[in-house]
Amino acid sequence: MDYIEKVLEKLKELARKLVEALLGPEAEPEAELIPIPVNERSRRR
């Protein structure tokens, strides 16, 4: 049983590498935007 688990793990790794090679690396989540405070009073002049 342990041998089968090792083989399945190797197959998963090979499949992941194949998909990554064909489609590019996994998409990384977008960085969260940091809100920038704006002084509204100076814009209205």
Side-chain angles (χ1 to χ4, degrees):
M1 197 66 170
D2 192 43
Y3 175 76
I4 294 173
E5 289 174 3
K6 286 182 182 179
V7 170
L8 287 174
E9 199 61 40
K10 289 286 185 182
L11 286 173
K12 285 181 191 177
E13 183 67 23
L14 286 171
R16 188 187 59 77
K17 285 182 181 181
L18 179 63
V19 169
E20 196 172 279
L22 294 174
L23 304 177
E26 289 183 23
E28 295 180 11
E30 291 185 24
E32 189 174 323
L33 298 177
I34 300 171
I36 301 172
V38 177
N39 187 354
E40 290 292 326
R41 285 183 239 142
S42 64
R43 289 181 136 198
R44 293 181 181 165
R45 292 183 182 176

